Amino acid sequence: MWINFFKLRLFCCLLAVLMVVVLVINVTQVEYLDHETVSATFIDSSGQFVFSQVTGISRNPYCGYDQQTLSSQERMEEDSLLAALHQQVPDVGPVPFVKSTDPSSSYFVILNSAAFFKVGSQLEVLVHVQDFQRKPKKYGGDYLQARIHSPKLQAGAVGRVVDYQNGFYKVFFTLLWPGKVKVSVSLVHPSEGIRVLQRLQEDKPDRVYFKSLFRSGRISETTECNVCLPGNLPLCNFTDLYTGEPWFCFKPKKLPCSSRITHFKGGYLKGLLTAAESAFFQSGVNIKMPVNSSGPDWVTVIPRRIKETNSLELSQGSGTFPSGYYYKDQWRPRKFKMRQFNDPDNITECLQRKVVHLFGDSTIRQWFEYLTAFVPDLVEFNLGSPKNVGPFLAVDQKHNILLKYRCHGPPIRFTTVFSNELHYVANELNGIVGGKNTVVAIAVWSHFSTFPLEVYIRRLRNIRRAVVRLLDRSPKTVVVIRTANAQELGPEVSLFNSDWYNFQLDTILRRMFSGVGVYLVDAWEMTLAHYLPHKLHPDEVIVKNQLDMFLSFVCPLET
C-alpha cells in the first residue's frame, strides 16, 4: 500500500514539473512573438483594411521613444505605421556619384499611348531610371512625383507611383477631363540621397535646435532646448502634465526653471554631409528635376457619353485616388460637390454665429490671413502678439463670427514665442465645449520633419484622443484636418524639410485619422497637381481652393 502511495506522489510531482516546463516554454514563445512579430490590421493608402504580419519592427531609441508605455492597440498601430513607411532602399554600400540616378538620362514611356481614352480611363506610364554613365540601375528607392495636366484648361491631377525595386517604376493616372493631357514626371531625390535622409532622420534628429530665454530682474540667460538633450548637465523639465509631451531645456546657471520667458528657433546644424553625400543634393542636377519622355508625353481624352458621366465624380469610394483634380483652376474633389466661395458675403453667410478655431503651424495661419484680408467685416483684434506667431483673433460683431488662430506646442521653429503661449493642440481641444456652431481646423506637420516618426505619431495620438472626446461630447462639431504639402527644395532645405520627410508625415496623418469622423483638406494633392511652383506657403489661388473645400465641409450644399 505504501509503495503504491509513494508511486502516486512521484507521478504527481513529475506531472507538475512537466506542466511548469511547458508553461515556461509557452510564455517565452509569447514574449518572443510580442517583440518580433505583431499581427496588425490597418488601413492602406486606398482606404481598405489590410491584415499584415509586421515582423522585427525597429524603433528609433531617440529620447527613449522605443521605451514608451503603450497599450497593445497603440503599439500595434505604431508598428503597422512604421512598417508601411519602411523605405526599401537596398544597402548596396557606398555608391559614387556617377552611378547614382541621373534624371536627364532616365526616361518614361506611356504604355498604352495607342489606346482609346475616355474620361475615367486609366493611363499607365513606365519610368526607367539610369545613372550618369547612362547605364540602367538595378535597384529602386528613388523618390518620384508625377502628374497629368492640361495647361490651357488649367487642369491637373497627381499619379500613384509604384516602385518595382529594379530600376523600373510604374505611374498610374485616372484621366478626369477631356482634351490633350500631358504627363510630367520628376525625380525629387535619387535613392542614394534617400539613404542619406534616412541616416539623418535616425542619427541627427537634433539638426534643428531650439533655445529659451530665462530672465529675472536684470539677470538673463539663454539655454538650448529640445525633445531631449544629451549629456548629464542639469535640465529643466517642461514636459506637459496632461499629454506627457516631453520638452527640456538646459538649466540656467543662475536662474530657476520658472524664469523661462520665451522659446525660439536656435538654428540649423551645419556640416551634416560628407563631400560624397553632398553630390546627391544638387539644384539643377538631381533635386526636383524633370524626367523626359521617350516618345509622346501626351494623350487625347474624349468625353464620356452623358449616361456614362452620371455620378463619375460623386460615386467614388472612401479610398478614392486621386482625391480630386483641378479644372479651370478650381479644385474638384471626387467624393463630394465643393462650393465656390468667390464673394465675401458667401463666407460671412457660412460662418455666421460660428466660432472657428485654427490650430497648428504657419500653413494654417495662411487661412486666417486670407479670411481677414478677403472678408471686410472680419476685423482682426490686436492682441499685441508677435508677427507671424500669434495668437491671433478676428471678430465680425455684426454677424457674430469669432475667428481664432493659435500655433501648436513645441517643437516649433518660429522666431520668438512667449513660453506661456506654448499650448498643445490636444489641451486646447479639451477646453472646447463644441456644438453645431463650433468649427475646428488643425494643421500639424512641418515642424516635425527632422524628428523620428515616433515623435510625430505620439503628437497625433494625443490630438486624435482629444478630437474623439470632443466629437463624443459634441457630435455636431465640425473638425477639419489640413494635410502636409510639397514645397520648394534646395540642397540645404532638403536636409530639414524634404518632400520625402513630409510625405511620410502625410501618410501617418491620413492613416491615424481615418475613420475618426473628421474632414480632410488634401493640401498634398492640391499643391502637387497645380501648375504653380511648390512652396511651403502655397500661392493664394491654392489657399483659396483649400478654404473653399474647408467651408464646403462647414456649409455643405443642400441635397
Side-chain angles (χ1 to χ4, degrees):
M1 176 180 172
W2 289 108
I3 294 174
N4 290 337
F5 180 71
F6 177 76
K7 288 181 179 179
L8 181 62
R9 288 186 60 185
L10 182 61
F11 174 77
C12 291
C13 289
L14 289 173
L15 183 61
V17 170
L18 181 61
M19 289 178 65
V20 171
V21 170
V22 171
L23 180 62
V24 169
I25 292 174
N26 284 338
V27 169
T28 304
Q29 184 67 13
V30 168
E31 290 177 346
Y32 173 78
L33 289 172
D34 184 54
H35 284 83
E36 296 299 326
T37 305
V38 178
S39 297
T41 303
F42 60 94
I43 302 172
D44 71 2
S45 57
S46 66
Q48 301 300 313
F49 281 93
V50 176
F51 182 83
S52 72
Q53 220 41 28
V54 183
T55 305
I57 293 299
S58 175
R59 283 184 167 76
N60 195 305
Y62 176 70
C63 296
Y65 269 75
D66 57 336
Q67 302 296 326
Q68 286 186 89
T69 301
L70 302 175
S71 68
S72 58
Q73 187 175 359
E74 289 171 341
R75 185 165 295 276
M76 185 182 297
E77 178 188 48
E78 189 168 290
D79 284 344
S80 68
L81 289 169
L82 295 175
L85 289 168
H86 179 68
Q87 187 75 6
Q88 295 181 4
V89 180
D91 187 6
V92 293
V95 177
F97 171 71
V98 294
K99 291 187 177 297
S100 66
T101 305
D102 176 16
S104 64
S105 297
S106 305
Y107 61 89
F108 70 85
V109 178
I110 298 177
L111 292 180
N112 45 353
S113 59
F116 184 66
F117 291 108
K118 290 183 179 181
V119 171
S121 299
Q122 295 295 306
L123 180 67
E124 295 183 14
V125 172
L126 183 69
V127 184
H128 190 197
V129 296
Q130 299 186 142
D131 62 25
F132 284 88
Q133 296 176 324
R134 307 191 74 86
K135 294 181 180 178
K137 293 191 69 179
K138 302 298 183 184
Y139 55 90
D142 303 290
Y143 180 37
L144 304 175
Q145 290 174 348
R147 70 185 182 107
I148 49 174
H149 54 109
S150 298
K152 290 183 179 180
L153 297 174
Q154 294 179 309
V158 301
R160 187 193 303 277
V161 180
V162 176
D163 183 353
Y164 288 98
Q165 296 295 317
N166 58 2
F168 286 93
Y169 301 79
K170 255 191 185 180
V171 188
F172 298 88
F173 298 100
T174 301
L175 300 168
L176 295 166
W177 62 89
K180 183 178 179 180
V181 178
K182 181 179 172 65
V183 175
S184 292
V185 179
S186 297
L187 174 76
V188 182
H189 295 299
S191 58
E192 295 76 18
I194 295 297
R195 289 175 61 194
V196 175
L197 295 179
Q198 284 180 319
R199 177 183 67 78
L200 293 177
Q201 191 176 46
E202 295 168 2
D203 300 340
K204 291 289 184 181
D206 57 349
R207 56 193 183 279
V208 177
Y209 57 95
F210 306 87
K211 291 188 176 183
S212 273
L213 173 67
F214 296 78
R215 181 187 295 148
S216 180
R218 296 183 178 181
I219 302 174
S220 63
E221 295 182 60
T222 300
T223 70
E224 188 175 335
C225 308
N226 217 316
V227 174
C228 66
L229 294 166
N232 298 313
L233 293 175
L235 298 175
C236 291
N237 186 351
F238 296 114
T239 298
D240 184 66
L241 296 177
Y242 299 98
T243 63
E245 293 285 356
W247 194 255
F248 298 89
C249 296
F250 285 123
K251 189 179 185 305
K253 295 180 180 178
K254 299 179 181 179
L255 296 174
C257 295
S258 58
S259 63
R260 182 174 65 148
I261 302 296
T262 60
H263 161 95
F264 57 96
K265 179 184 68 180
Y268 300 89
L269 293 180
K270 305 294 184 181
L272 295 169
L273 305 183
T274 65
E277 289 175 332
S278 297
F280 303 136
F281 299 91
Q282 299 183 66
S283 296
V285 177
N286 51 17
I287 298 178
K288 283 206 174 181
M289 291 298 294
V291 174
N292 295 319
S293 65
S294 176
D297 63 352
W298 58 274
V299 296
T300 299
V301 183
I302 64 173
R304 284 176 173 262
R305 293 193 296 271
I306 294 176
K307 291 182 179 180
E308 296 175 318
T309 305
N310 290 338
S311 302
L312 172 66
E313 293 180 2
L314 303 183
S315 64
Q316 307 300 324
S318 61
T320 303
F321 185 90
S323 68
Y325 63 100
Y326 283 106
Y327 190 78
K328 295 182 179 179
D329 240 359
Q330 294 179 353
W331 184 251
R332 296 187 176 186
R334 298 175 67 200
K335 285 165 46 173
F336 75 104
K337 192 73 173 177
M338 190 174 90
R339 297 176 60 186
Q340 298 297 319
F341 293 81
N342 297 325
D343 190 283
D345 291 341
N346 301 144
I347 298 178
T348 299
E349 182 183 1
C350 174
L351 296 181
Q352 191 167 2
R353 295 185 298 277
K354 287 183 171 55
V355 178
V356 181
H357 302 267
L358 306 178
F359 297 116
D361 54 39
S362 56
T363 61
I364 205 166
R365 189 188 68 219
Q366 281 190 287
W367 291 13
F368 182 93
E369 294 165 349
Y370 178 92
L371 289 170
T372 52
F374 186 67
V375 182
D377 292 338
L378 201 53
V379 179
E380 185 173 354
F381 188 83
N382 186 0
L383 298 175
S385 303
K387 185 180 179 182
N388 298 334
V389 175
F392 299 129
L393 178 70
V395 179
D396 179 349
Q397 289 185 322
K398 181 180 177 181
H399 301 96
N400 198 18
I401 301 172
L402 183 60
L403 176 67
K404 300 179 178 181
Y405 164 77
R406 178 176 288 281
C407 67
H408 64 73
I412 191 158
R413 303 175 199 156
F414 286 174
T415 49
T416 301
V417 185
F418 292 115
S419 56
N420 60 354
E421 296 290 0
L422 291 172
H423 296 196
Y424 289 92
V425 174
N427 292 339
E428 293 295 304
L429 293 174
N430 288 334
I432 295 174
V433 175
K436 65 178 182 179
N437 291 322
T438 301
V439 182
V440 175
I442 302 168
V444 177
W445 60 277
S446 180
H447 300 259
F448 289 81
S449 57
T450 56
F451 292 96
L453 298 176
E454 291 88 340
V455 177
Y456 188 59
I457 292 172
R458 177 174 189 157
R459 182 61 55 91
L460 291 191
R461 190 184 295 124
N462 279 319
I463 293 173
R464 184 179 61 186
R465 191 179 294 123
V467 166
V468 169
R469 284 196 291 259
L470 172 59
L471 294 176
D472 278 347
R473 64 179 176 268
S474 302
K476 293 185 178 180
T477 306
V478 175
V479 180
V480 180
I481 307 291
R482 181 205 187 276
T483 73
N485 60 259
Q487 68 172 89
E488 69 278 18
L489 295 179
E492 185 173 20
V493 175
S494 295
L495 308 183
F496 303 95
N497 259 47
S498 167
D499 283 358
W500 181 74
Y501 288 137
N502 293 327
F503 174 72
Q504 292 180 310
L505 302 183
D506 186 67
T507 302
I508 288 172
L509 182 143
R510 291 169 190 267
R511 293 193 175 201
M512 290 189 69
F513 280 93
S514 177
V516 174
V518 301
Y519 298 98
L520 208 68
V521 172
D522 199 336
W524 186 262
E525 286 194 22
M526 285 175 147
T527 49
L528 285 181
H530 205 271
Y531 55 84
L532 286 173
H534 300 163
K535 293 182 180 179
L536 174 60
H537 301 111
D539 286 336
E540 185 174 294
V541 63
I542 299 177
V543 175
K544 195 263 184 193
N545 276 289
Q546 292 174 2
L547 277 162
D548 283 347
M549 192 168 185
F550 164 68
L551 293 168
S552 296
F553 292 137
V554 179
C555 306
L557 281 171
E558 294 183 6
T559 58

